[in-house]
Amino acid sequence: MSAADRTERPAWHPAWLPEAAFGPLGARRVLVAPGPDAGPVGRTVVDELRAATAQHGGTLTVLDPPAAPSPADVRAHDLVLVVGPADAPAGPEAFDHRREDGTTVVVAGGPAGLLYGMHAVVRDGERAFGADHGPRHHRPVAPVRMLDHWDNVDVHPVMGQVERGYAGGSLFYADGRVRDDLTRVGAYARLLGSIGVNAVALNNVNVHATEARLLTDGLGDVARLAAAFRPHGVRAYLSVSFASPMTLGGLPTADPLDADVQRWWAQAADRVWAAVPDFGGFLVKADSEGQPGPFAYGRDHADGANLLARAVAPHGGTVFWRAFVYDHHQDWRDRRTDRARAAHDHFTPLDGRFDANVVLQVKHGPLDFQTREPVSPVLASMPRTRVAVELQVTQEYTGQQQHVCYLGPWWSEILRFGLAEDGTRTVAQIVSGLPGSPASGPPDADPLPAAGVVAVSNVGDDVFWTGHPLAQANLYAFGRLAWDPDADPVALLDEWVDLTFPGADPRVRATLHALMDDSWRTYEAYTAPLGVGFMVDPLRGHYGPNVDGYEYSRWGTYHFADRDGIGVDRTRATGTGFTGQYPAPWRDLYEDVATCPDELLLFFHHVPWEHRLHSGTTVVQHVYDSRADAVDVVERLRQHWADAADVFPADWHARVGERLDEQLRSAVEWRDQVRTYVYRKSGVPDAQGRPIY
Ligand code: GCU
């Protein structure tokens, strides 16, 4: 048995950072100058380079004490990574990258930029050491790139340990407490650092009793978790309960205007930052789905958010306040109340009232992370507020990590959607504080408010991190798109494949593209049609079809199908008026059934079953055809995967294969239920005469 065979394999998959991915870099002569303020992140870079060069036969020179390398030093090396000489790029996360006289040079604005620059070299592989090129500038578009964990410390009786988690238990918590061994949390933090994620919320936005105590008795453990993330440039945040002054502090009220409540929060914040000096701040779900909030005291969300913001401000902290506020006790008979309107109705009157260290965190769509929704108009309606867009990497409504559903193309559409300024200012620009066009930018003295991109994480203690191994690509793509929203999501798949399977047979890449490139559209094609949303099974945690599952419920998510037609009339002319929350041109484009895009038709309009789509077919025939086609696609993909058994590691092949079997079973169920439902309601037969039950 060789030494390598005897080495114990870690209990988790290396994801996109296997040792072999560091081969091209590790075989070089590398010089690193992490600068006088290298700190833990600079040390991580040195450690990574030391391990890679030791493993792959290169050499490492560390300039310590810090000094700028001399030209002779530079020429003697293949790769030079330095922080901060005079021409360094602005911002600690930025880096420039050039190839000059056969040396690859990365110049970073700070230790985080050095880390990101090093990983850019890893991603480029041998290409990083190819032809000379001039400086390329890299800086993140969004200042905040955050993952929210919906992890509970205790196993919740309904939601389990990770709410909407599809990859096993929590990485952070086990047996009702923070794990003793945080080695794997460190490995996770390393993955996040490599894709530029710089913030993480450690617990569920629904803050239950045990989790609330992280803010007080649990601070020692929070400090341990923060320490696992720190070396990778990731700051820790906590979800907190608005009722904490009562439940933890014993006060009779949590009223944001009460002086004792204000004092309690200020002291709580003092204790947090004493334990974790670089703590990020708080995340709050208030007055939403049963969570406590300022409404109980007749106060609004600006009062609530500013209460916490003032407590954390002396420490440089930020409050992420969620805009996911709606009536979850709606009467289904009430056709005028529209959940899609709720966030805009609640929050836009408050624009300008939030303190500068409040970020309003807005779900990307007006409903709830559906497979297809329009972009939330709230993102364009609060020009004097810092807004972040919230995505869902965990696949609650997109196949629950049982189905292949690569979400990069969906997030790319969202981030690049021209929502404001007549369609010229994208969501990515709005959340990053960038003007739509240079001409429309603010005077220099008055910067646009900036926040960033947030997402609900999809990892757990599963050996592959994400249950479905291909869901690793969603985590990867989230980080990369948050850094660069203009990146091509299909090209990001190439990056992910090359890192995950370095030097693999070209069939690996081809097979994964075949499975993943269009997988989101395939998933859409067998689930709820034309943007109508939901139709998922409430009794199975939103998995699988149940067309009327939410139809007569209190949750405000209806499709209103009857014998004549289907869809939600959200027009100003005859419906809920939701279209009026959009700026031009969207308010009119969505209002008119003639210009509303097919894929959102039933989100905005109630139409007859035989309404003709822009595609030329009718709604009912579209349902019949697209479902049948999508199931055919899944069948072919399953075969494709079976044929590629020889080029994938056996554990990958087996796990993905099991999931594809389930995806096919579920897609058939979706197809048959939705088609049969549509036939039974409409009485219109399938022109192709395929079976309906
Ligand atoms: C969805 C999800 C919940 C979650 C909520 C939220 O409704 O099903 O589990 O708590 O979103 O975003 O807060």
Side-chain angles (χ1 to χ4, degrees):
M1 190 188 270
S2 74
D5 289 334
R6 279 197 304 272
T7 315
E8 224 180 282
R9 282 171 69 87
W12 55 85
H13 184 264
W16 55 84
L17 293 180
E19 271 177 6
F22 289 76
L25 175 156
R28 262 49 193 209
R29 294 166 302 171
V30 181
L31 180 148
V32 63
D37 304 315
V41 178
R43 284 196 288 279
T44 297
V45 176
V46 173
D47 291 349
E48 291 276 9
L49 295 170
R50 185 168 290 126
T53 47
Q55 171 82 17
H56 297 284
T59 62
L60 179 69
T61 309
V62 184
L63 277 197
D64 187 22
S70 71
D73 283 335
V74 170
R75 275 194 299 277
H77 290 90
D78 308 304
L79 172 64
V80 173
L81 300 121
V82 292
V83 166
D87 62 344
E93 296 192 315
F95 65 95
D96 291 346
H97 170 209
R98 64 179 191 271
R99 176 102 180 134
E100 201 172 73
D101 302 330
T103 299
T104 299
V105 181
V106 172
V107 181
L114 197 69
L115 179 73
Y116 303 146
M118 180 195 73
H119 280 290
V121 173
V122 173
R123 271 197 298 278
D124 282 353
E126 286 299 339
R127 287 189 310 278
F129 305 97
D132 281 4
H133 60 78
R136 294 177 185 157
H137 308 293
H138 301 265
R139 63 206 60 212
V141 172
V144 176
R145 305 171 303 279
M146 179 170 188
L147 281 164
D148 289 356
H149 284 262
W150 287 357
D151 295 28
N152 300 314
V153 180
D154 282 334
V155 176
H156 185 268
V158 181
M159 290 298 171
Q161 188 165 38
V162 182
E163 181 155 339
R164 311 307 178 188
Y166 311 105
S170 168
L171 291 177
F172 309 153
Y173 314 107
D175 307 320
R177 47 202 286 269
V178 173
R179 289 173 186 272
D180 290 330
D181 180 358
L182 297 181
T183 314
R184 186 163 184 185
V185 178
Y188 174 58
R190 176 173 179 249
L191 288 170
L192 298 192
S194 77
I195 53 174
V197 169
N198 63 3
V200 73
L202 299 173
N203 61 304
N204 190 2
V205 287
N206 296 315
V207 185
H208 308 294
T210 306
E211 293 72 17
R213 310 199 78 82
L214 288 169
L215 180 63
T216 49
D217 324 344
L219 277 180
D221 282 335
V222 170
R224 289 174 51 235
L225 284 167
F229 282 103
R230 185 174 297 117
H232 304 279
V234 183
R235 287 175 99 181
Y237 289 69
L238 275 183
S239 293
V240 296
S241 164
F242 195 78
S244 299
M246 298 165 76
T247 53
L248 303 177
L251 296 185
T253 177
D255 182 347
L257 301 195
D258 182 281
D260 288 338
V261 170
Q262 293 166 354
R263 199 167 312 115
W264 189 88
W265 277 111
Q267 288 168 354
D270 291 347
R271 283 192 302 269
V272 174
W273 266 271
V276 188
D278 61 351
F279 193 71
F282 298 143
L283 169 62
V284 190
K285 172 176 178 176
D287 289 319
S288 170
E289 299 184 332
Q291 292 299 302
F295 285 166
Y297 311 97
R299 315 297 182 198
D300 62 30
H301 281 260
D303 297 327
N306 291 343
L307 162 72
L308 273 70
R310 285 165 201 173
V312 305
H315 308 285
T318 304
V319 171
F320 285 76
W321 189 269
R322 296 178 84 226
F324 183 59
V325 177
Y326 69 99
D327 176 6
H328 69 295
H329 286 285
Q330 189 176 327
D331 184 342
W332 60 269
R333 300 164 192 84
D334 165 16
R335 296 286 288 253
R336 297 301 304 176
T337 301
D338 179 5
R339 171 167 163 182
R341 293 187 54 114
H344 190 280
D345 286 343
H346 283 298
F347 285 95
T348 56
L350 306 179
D351 189 30
R353 291 215 14 239
F354 291 100
D355 285 3
N357 61 333
V358 174
V359 169
L360 186 68
Q361 185 165 313
V362 182
K363 285 194 183 185
H364 66 77
L367 280 186
D368 199 356
F369 299 137
Q370 297 304 290
T371 313
R372 178 77 73 167
E373 286 185 57
V375 165
S376 170
V378 178
L379 293 163
S381 312
M382 306 207 48
R384 291 178 295 159
T385 305
R386 295 171 67 192
V387 289
V389 63
E390 182 179 322
L391 308 170
Q392 200 182 38
V393 185
T394 195
Q395 291 172 235
E396 177 178 2
Y397 294 101
T398 51
Q400 302 202 348
Q401 284 142 249
Q402 295 287 329
H403 299 219
V404 190
C405 189
Y406 174 52
L407 292 164
W410 180 212
W411 299 330
S412 169
E413 270 189 31
I414 294 164
L415 293 170
R416 298 171 67 166
F417 186 79
L419 181 64
E421 293 173 18
D422 267 327
T424 63
R425 191 167 181 226
T426 65
V427 168
Q429 288 169 326
I430 293 169
V431 301
S432 307
L434 300 172
S437 61
S440 68
D444 286 349
D446 185 18
L448 290 163
V453 189
V454 181
V456 187
S457 169
N458 67 345
V459 298
D461 67 0
D462 166 58
V463 61
F464 289 104
W465 300 92
T466 51
H468 201 309
L470 304 187
Q472 288 180 9
N474 283 331
L475 188 60
Y476 184 85
F478 164 72
R480 299 285 293 126
L481 284 170
W483 176 281
D484 177 11
D486 284 328
D488 171 1
V490 174
L492 291 179
L493 268 186
D494 283 334
E495 278 183 10
W496 172 75
V497 172
D498 290 350
L499 287 168
T500 307
F501 300 101
D505 186 307
R507 280 171 57 218
V508 165
R509 182 190 282 228
T511 305
L512 291 172
H513 276 298
L515 253 77
M516 297 171 78
D517 289 2
D518 290 325
S519 52
W520 161 59
R521 288 190 183 81
T522 301
Y523 184 79
E524 179 185 24
Y526 57 80
T527 54
L530 302 168
V532 78
F534 285 85
M535 299 191 170
V536 291
D537 194 344
L539 300 179
R540 285 187 294 158
H542 298 166
Y543 186 74
N546 183 346
V547 180
D548 280 340
Y550 275 94
E551 202 52 21
Y552 305 100
S553 77
R554 60 186 170 92
W555 296 96
T557 52
Y558 315 117
H559 54 67
F560 299 122
D562 60 19
R563 67 180 184 177
D564 298 319
I566 183 170
V568 190
D569 184 352
R570 294 194 159 106
T571 63
R572 306 193 281 291
T574 53
T576 68
F578 171 67
T579 59
Q581 294 184 342
Y582 283 89
W586 306 110
R587 50 189 291 115
D588 295 328
L589 197 131
Y590 292 144
E591 173 78 8
D592 187 348
V593 75
T595 50
C596 184
D598 283 348
E599 67 272 13
L600 290 172
L601 180 69
L602 303 182
F603 191 95
F604 285 106
H605 297 275
H606 186 89
V607 298
W609 288 111
E610 296 192 80
H611 171 88
R612 206 159 280 282
L613 301 172
H614 301 301
S615 67
T617 188
T618 60
V619 167
V620 74
Q621 194 58 41
H622 166 84
V623 169
Y624 295 145
D625 293 345
S626 52
R627 263 114 273 275
D629 293 349
V631 169
D632 290 350
V633 169
V634 177
E635 249 164 12
R636 277 201 305 277
L637 294 180
R638 188 160 152 268
Q639 190 53 49
H640 212 77
W641 186 254
D643 295 343
D646 55 321
V647 291
F648 283 95
D651 54 350
W652 266 69
H653 197 267
R655 179 72 78 85
V656 174
E658 283 161 21
R659 305 269 152 148
L660 282 167
D661 291 347
E662 165 54 22
Q663 180 172 0
L664 180 59
R665 188 208 59 76
S666 175
V668 167
E669 191 62 30
W670 270 101
R671 176 194 66 190
D672 293 344
Q673 281 203 29
V674 176
R675 295 171 91 232
T676 300
Y677 180 92
V678 164
Y679 175 70
R680 290 184 186 173
K681 284 273 168 182
S682 70
V684 181
D686 175 12
Q688 303 296 318
R690 287 164 293 208
I692 283 175
Y693 304 89

